Each structure stands twice: as C-alpha cells, then as structure tokens.
Amino acid sequence: MSSQNILEVKHLQKAFGRHEVLKDINFEVKQGEIIGLLGKNGSGKTTMIKSILGLLQHSGEVYFEGKKLSIRDTYAMNRIGVLVDTAFFEDMTALDNLKILMMATPHRDNRHMKKDIMELLEFVGLEKNVKEKVKGFSFGMKQRLALAQALMNEPKLLILDEPFVGLDPLGIELVKEKLTELCRKKQASIIFSSHQLAEVEELSEDLIVIEDGHVKYFGTYEDLARQNKEYRIITDRPIPTKMLSELHAKCCEVYEKSENQLILSHGEKTLDLVLRYLQENGFTICEILREDRPLETLFA
Ligand code: ADP
C-alpha cells in the first residue's frame, strides 16, 4: 500500500442472488484527491459505495489509511464522512438532528458542540434554518443537512452518493465550492457519484466509470475525452463479416456503418492496427474521419 493512498479497494464483488452487480472492482484514492464516480443507472455505484462502507456484505478487501476497514472500527469509521440514504428525525430541528448524532458518535469531542453545529450549518448554507423542523425542509435542504452530517467529524475521506441531486444551481455551486475548500485546506479526499458529467468534470481530478461490474475507466476527464473518439473508415468495397470478427478478436471495437464504412470506437491505440490489416487484405482506404462521441454515451 502506498503511504499516500487513503483508500484501496481490491477485488470488490457483490451479488444480489444470482445478479452479479460488482464483479471485480479495483481502485485507489490518494490523499487530497477528488474522484467522480460515473456509471449508467443500475451499474452499481450505490452498491459499490455501500459495500466499501461495509453496509452490504461483499467479497474483496477495502483498506483505509493502510488498514483493513471494518464497520466495527469506530475510530476509522468516524474519519469517513458518508452521504448515502441519509435519514433524519423529521420532527426535530436541524440543530437537534446534528446534536443527537454528535452525542451518539463514539470518541467525539463534544465540548463545543453548539459552536460546531453552527459552523457546520453555516458551511452548508443552512444557518437561517437551525431551529426549523426537518419535515419542513425541501429535498435540497435535506441534502445539505446530510452533507453537514457527513462533515461532522472533520473526515479524512468523504464518500457521497449523488450529493448534488435535488440542489438548485446555487446550492450546487455552494457545495462544489465547499468540497473543494475542504480538500485544499484539510487534505481530505472525496469520492462522489453523479450522473451529471458537468459536475464531475468540474469538481474531480480523476473519474471512475463503472460498467458491467468492472472499473471501465480510471483517469482524467481529458484522457477519457481523448480516448472516446470514433474513427469512420471508408474503404473501396464492403468488408466481409469474417474480417470484422477477426478484428474483434484483435480487441478492435469495429462495426459496419454501411456497405463500405467501418466505425472504430476508442481507436487511439487500434487505428494503426485496423488500417494495416485492411491494407494487407487488399483494401484501399479512401478516407478516415475522426468524430467525437458524446461522453454521456458512456453512462447515460
Ligand atoms: P446505481 O447506483 O449505479 O444506479 P445500484 O447500485 O443502485 O446502481 O444498483 C445496481 C443493481 O443492483 C441494480 O440492478 C439494482 O436493481 C440492484 N440492487 C441494488 N440493491 C439491491 C438489493 N438490495 N436487492 C437486490 N438488487 C439490488
């Protein structure tokens, strides 16, 4: 384990009955890093988050600060701020909700509880709603209160499931700004799931794309955009299906667009190979066009 890795996820697997949602998830998070988690609806983002936190039984290993993470390790769990399926005492105020949680948190220093709560509520822009009952809160206000709960113990790692859902544009800006501030000032790390590419692009340095139970991509937004190009290859005559199968066997993502047009996806590494193969088989390449595929196709 590298010393600057705050989290390591190794061979994470989770099935519901015979439905294998996570087949083999592996990744690492460095200290101070913000990682956006993308994947189509139902790809397993929430399942992954809950498995990492030990809220779901799973196979595989999760290390936090170099030590195997267990939900029973209250010291470690206190250092992880979580926003997933947050429930509140709806008949109580925002202040009382935080107070109860603070009092129930093992090893927490509650000497300045009221001050801590006011700072947290101010941080998430709820300072004017301290004494209001949560049942009167909008969904967006509840999201912000959930974020305040997640931030309660000055976490070293934040794991947030769809933190921007239900927030208005100003709320989104506020939360983004605060999360960035937290990382800069306290060197906290953040993993957050989202189905909004714009939010992920703006906030995170690296992103993870989950597909078919695996990490399909882990890297920067720019690299992903670069890889996500399609090449349209126009040849002098139709390409037989047998040749397409042979190209598939060479890991080239090609399909026939029309009689003498091939589309090659993720072609940065395979374009040369495809062109050489066609020429060796007597084809003339009439034209090659490069087209950007919308990144949303990866997860929408
Ligand atoms: P995402 O967060 O990416 O939208 P989820 O992790 O919520 O995806 O779900 C992944 C898959 O696991 C879905 O097919 C979902 O129906 C299934 N799933 C999630 N939770 C359960 C559960 N408790 N029991 C059975 N299937 C579940």
Side-chain angles (χ1 to χ4, degrees):
M1 146 118 203
S2 153
S3 59
Q4 81 234 55
N5 283 339
I6 190 135
L7 186 79
E8 282 197 7
V9 175
K10 292 185 178 198
H11 307 299
L12 193 68
Q13 295 171 33
K14 173 69 194 170
F16 294 105
R18 296 171 69 176
H19 182 190
E20 286 180 82
V21 178
L22 308 177
K23 293 178 183 164
D24 189 14
I25 298 283
N26 298 279
F27 67 92
E28 294 165 3
V29 182
K30 292 191 177 65
Q31 198 179 340
E33 190 176 34
I34 305 183
I35 292 186
L37 179 60
L38 291 165
K40 289 185 181 161
N41 234 340
S43 59
K45 300 182 293 296
T46 304
T47 303
M48 187 183 103
I49 284 175
K50 287 184 178 172
S51 300
I52 289 174
L53 293 166
L55 301 172
L56 285 174
Q57 279 198 336
H58 59 272
S59 321
E61 286 153 11
V62 176
Y63 294 89
F64 172 68
E65 295 183 322
K67 205 174 145 213
K68 208 163 172 182
L69 185 63
S70 153
I71 198 164
R72 285 182 294 278
D73 182 348
T74 48
Y75 178 75
M77 292 309 286
N78 281 355
R79 293 164 64 78
I80 304 178
V82 178
L83 191 160
V84 58
D85 289 350
T86 312
F88 302 102
F89 297 101
E90 298 267 332
D91 266 322
M92 292 186 181
T93 62
L95 185 135
D96 285 341
N97 264 275
L98 284 172
K99 203 189 241 177
I100 285 177
L101 209 61
M102 284 182 175
M103 289 193 303
T105 304
H107 322 299
R108 193 179 191 283
D109 178 1
N110 283 329
R111 277 174 299 177
H112 310 289
M113 195 160 53
K114 185 89 188 282
K115 180 173 156 279
D116 294 347
I117 291 174
M118 291 314 294
E119 277 175 12
L120 277 172
L121 290 174
E122 203 172 314
F123 194 78
V124 297
L126 285 176
E127 67 277 12
K128 296 200 180 97
N129 311 92
V130 179
K131 299 217 166 131
E132 289 173 27
K133 285 189 177 170
V134 172
K135 67 180 173 194
F137 278 16
S138 68
F139 188 73
M141 289 163 82
K142 284 185 185 172
Q143 275 290 76
R144 283 195 260 162
L145 185 56
L147 187 63
Q149 288 192 354
L151 296 171
M152 199 176 78
N153 298 319
E154 296 207 354
K156 290 307 287 174
L157 172 66
L158 272 173
I159 302 185
L160 312 172
D161 195 16
E162 294 277 3
F164 301 108
V165 162
L167 297 183
D168 56 28
L170 274 180
I172 291 176
E173 282 318 306
L174 174 94
V175 171
K176 269 192 214 157
E177 192 187 305
K178 297 296 182 186
L179 292 179
T180 310
E181 187 185 320
L182 195 75
C183 285
R184 299 260 152 81
K185 288 198 180 147
K186 311 258 173 172
Q187 277 291 293
S189 310
I190 301 176
I191 308 174
F192 73 101
S193 69
S194 174
H195 59 275
Q196 295 289 335
L197 184 62
E199 287 154 8
V200 175
E201 181 196 354
E202 212 179 304
L203 189 59
S204 56
E205 290 127 55
D206 278 332
L207 53 92
I208 294 178
V209 179
I210 295 201
E211 194 182 291
D212 189 29
H214 295 91
V215 173
K216 187 180 178 196
Y217 177 80
F218 187 169
T220 63
Y221 174 87
E222 291 73 22
D223 278 347
L224 181 65
R226 219 172 291 135
Q227 279 182 25
N228 204 42
K229 303 240 186 264
E230 271 185 357
Y231 292 86
R232 185 185 295 252
I233 304 166
I234 303 172
T235 51
D236 56 336
R237 60 202 151 88
I239 296 161
T241 318
K242 183 170 162 279
M243 283 180 63
L244 288 181
S245 308
E246 281 177 13
L247 282 170
H248 286 159
K250 294 174 193 287
C251 296
C252 303
E253 293 182 43
V254 283
Y255 66 93
E256 197 176 19
K257 179 78 176 171
S258 63
E259 275 218 324
N260 56 344
Q261 287 197 22
L262 270 190
I263 299 289
L264 171 66
S265 305
H266 309 293
E268 288 294 298
K269 290 193 185 123
T270 50
L271 180 66
D272 279 355
L273 198 155
V274 173
L275 295 179
R276 214 174 325 115
Y277 178 81
L278 290 172
Q279 282 165 343
E280 280 166 10
N281 283 279
F283 285 82
T284 302
I285 313 292
C286 304
E287 203 173 357
I288 304 165
L289 303 167
R290 202 171 83 163
E291 296 166 1
D292 289 337
R293 276 200 316 173
L295 278 183
E296 279 80 359
T297 55
L298 285 172
F299 56 86

